[in-house]
Amino acid sequence: MQRLANKRLVLGVTGGIAAYKSAELIRRLIDAGAEVRVVMTSAAQEFITPLTLQALSGNPVHLALLDTEAEAGMGHIELARWGDALLIAPASADFIARLTHGHGNDLLTTLCLAARCPIHIAPAMNQGMWASSANQNNIQQLETNGIHLIGPGSGYQACGDIGLGRMSEPDDIAQILADSFQTGSLTGTQVVITAGPTREAIDPVRYISNHSSGKMGFALAEAARDAGATVTLIAGPVNLATPDRVNRINVVSAEDMLVATTECLDHLSLNSSVSSEGSIIFIGTAAVADYRPDTSATQKIKKTQGNPNLTLQLIENPDIIATVAKRSPKPFTVGFAAETQNVLAYANDKIARKNLDMIIANDVSNKDIGFNSDLNAVTIIWPEGNKTVDIASKAIIANSIIQQISLQL
Ligand code: PMT
């Protein structure tokens, strides 16, 4: 269940007696550390009140597609992008039919159309409705479309029938959802990730740095962990909680980051069971300062009256990722390129110059993505190809990157 920690889940509730179980389901998901936002269809509101689900989820419940207040805050497209997974529980026969045929006539169906994250449905309906050929055709089509089916279970039904069609129990749904975040594609590998900015001291109270928040690197750490890797995260000064089951080393400057990286890779290389090719992966997400002041003053530099200019002499920092790529055996080395112009050309130059196996290009001229945003959009480039991942949450981008790395190993 730990895999649900910090996951963003959109829970869709449709109209059916099993809607009462959604309340219990929300508790299970939140207890497991997930953040939950609930979307209810109008039929669902006949069975359970939005207020109940709002109180349990701790977030406003989303009810209508054409809600000007909601669109001004978290509108339907933002909500679709926000989620790491979309779970519809209970999913009624009517909703399943509308989903199958791509309807967009209410908030929940529209969300499903716009979502780029995995969609799971937990059907709940009478056993006769479940078994009907129309419903079975719909279910088959949804599975072909990549939608994940949870249940249904068998047993006594609210209508008095006995058979298949009961919504799975909240504990089981939460467990299946948690398991879905484990891909296993990096099982047996060690992943070392640098994240965040570095700070280069000018004097005891001032430094040179940049706007990196660490979010991209931390999302990659979670994605690599969920793919079965053992993860070490070497983090510059950021304000983020350490993901569960990730080993974190805090550093401040580029020189500290190089020392921590080298020590970590030396330690992993000594362990012969993990030093075979492809078993160590290094991902340089950190926005490392290229230059640092050549000396850091031991005392605070005082303002000199009558002198409007202060000159800082900068010297080049070591290139951490280029140093990693020179190691033997060489870890599978993945860099990032944050560029404001000629993004692909500069990224291609870096992959060659730094001897990388892969580079992730992000256009940081777009203020909505990249530095300090929850969103990103990237082009993943490797020697034989490339793949563009459109704007999405950093968790989704991270999963795509990890998946591509596992295909290139
Ligand atoms: O942290 P967030 O707010 O989530 O933002 C994410 C991000 C925009 C910082 C991230 O997606 C990103 O693009 N990181 C790399 C930023 C960068 O500084 O790129 P660069 O082009 O300067 O460096 C290229 C590569 O060399 C990077 O992998 C970098 O980690 C590495 N490098 C650079 C300089 C240096 N001295 N040592 C390095 O290892």
Side-chain angles (χ1 to χ4, degrees):
M1 211 69 99
Q2 272 178 326
R3 293 196 179 93
L4 288 179
N6 302 322
K7 289 288 179 288
R8 296 164 153 188
L9 306 177
V10 179
L11 174 65
V13 183
T14 71
I17 187 66
Y20 80 92
K21 287 190 189 172
S22 308
E24 192 58 32
L25 178 58
I26 293 170
R27 292 193 78 122
R28 293 283 171 274
L29 299 174
I30 286 182
D31 287 351
E35 191 180 342
V36 181
R37 288 187 176 262
V38 180
V39 176
M40 297 178 79
T41 62
S42 52
Q45 296 165 54
E46 304 288 335
F47 292 89
I48 188 164
T49 69
L51 201 57
T52 306
L53 302 191
Q54 176 167 317
L56 288 167
S57 67
N59 282 311
V61 170
H62 302 259
L63 302 172
L65 179 58
L66 303 174
D67 175 350
T68 46
E69 217 168 276
E71 290 297 319
M74 185 176 275
H76 65 288
I77 298 294
E78 284 80 7
L79 195 55
R81 283 182 185 149
W82 176 86
D84 296 321
L86 185 43
L87 165 68
I88 294 103
S92 66
D94 173 68
F95 176 78
I96 285 170
R98 290 190 292 125
L99 184 62
T100 307
H101 298 288
H103 289 203
N105 54 349
D106 66 3
L107 178 58
L108 192 53
T109 46
T110 314
L111 270 180
C112 291
L113 286 173
R116 296 191 188 101
C117 61
I119 301 177
H120 304 258
I121 57 168
M125 65 195 73
N126 164 270
Q127 52 88 22
M129 291 167 72
W130 171 255
S132 69
S133 52
N135 183 63
Q136 286 302 310
N137 288 342
N138 289 342
I139 292 291
Q140 210 174 4
Q141 185 59 53
L142 287 180
E143 288 195 292
T144 306
N145 293 352
I147 287 176
H148 307 279
L149 190 67
I150 303 179
S154 187
Y156 281 102
Q157 300 202 301
C159 54
D161 282 4
I162 301 175
L164 207 56
R166 280 167 59 100
M167 185 171 104
S168 296
E169 293 307 318
D171 273 341
D172 297 336
I173 295 175
Q175 189 59 58
I176 290 167
L177 201 59
D179 291 347
S180 74
F181 286 106
Q182 160 74 282
T183 64
S185 60
L186 291 187
T187 301
T189 64
Q190 295 275 347
V191 176
V192 180
I193 300 171
T194 61
T198 62
R199 282 183 189 166
E200 311 301 327
I202 297 170
D203 68 15
V205 297
R206 303 183 180 94
Y207 54 80
I208 298 172
S209 193
N210 57 65
H211 295 293
S212 171
S213 62
K215 288 177 187 173
M216 191 67 244
F218 277 55
L220 276 162
E222 293 196 28
R225 175 205 64 199
D226 290 344
T230 304
V231 181
T232 303
L233 184 57
I234 301 172
V238 295
N239 194 16
L240 296 174
T242 309
D244 276 350
R245 293 172 290 121
V246 166
N247 172 34
R248 174 173 179 174
I249 302 169
N250 288 324
V251 297
V252 177
S253 67
E255 287 178 300
D256 297 343
M257 193 172 264
L258 176 63
V259 170
T261 302
T262 305
E263 283 178 0
C264 177
L265 292 173
D266 283 350
H267 174 75
L268 294 177
S269 299
L270 277 177
N271 181 346
S272 58
S273 68
V274 296
S275 62
S276 61
E277 204 170 306
S279 62
I280 302 180
I281 299 159
F282 177 81
I283 309 177
T285 320
V288 184
D290 287 326
Y291 293 91
R292 67 177 186 275
D294 65 346
T295 52
S296 166
T298 49
Q299 304 297 332
K300 182 181 170 192
I301 299 171
K302 302 301 289 178
K303 185 174 171 182
T304 315
Q305 290 301 327
N307 184 359
N309 300 317
L310 173 71
T311 304
L312 284 176
Q313 179 75 28
L314 301 180
I315 56 168
E316 201 174 358
N317 263 327
D319 193 309
I320 299 167
I321 204 162
T323 310
V324 169
K326 285 187 187 129
R327 291 176 70 93
S328 178
K330 179 188 168 193
F332 187 88
T333 310
V334 181
F336 268 72
E339 306 292 350
T340 53
Q341 56 174 340
N342 303 329
V343 180
L344 296 183
Y346 285 140
N348 277 312
D349 170 61
K350 275 178 192 160
I351 197 171
R353 196 160 35 84
K354 300 194 185 206
N355 189 26
L356 308 180
D357 298 297
M358 184 181 277
I359 196 155
I360 319 300
N362 35 197
D363 181 350
V364 292
S365 66
N366 180 349
K367 294 277 173 263
D368 295 336
I369 61 171
F371 281 102
N372 202 16
S373 167
D374 290 334
L375 304 173
N376 208 354
V378 298
T379 303
I380 306 172
I381 304 169
W382 62 96
E384 300 81 27
N386 64 74
K387 180 182 168 186
T388 296
V389 190
D390 285 341
I391 189 163
S393 74
K394 283 184 175 169
I396 291 176
I397 300 277
N399 279 326
S400 295
I401 294 170
I402 293 297
Q403 193 188 16
Q404 199 57 51
I405 291 173
S406 70
L407 292 174
Q408 300 312 125
L409 288 179

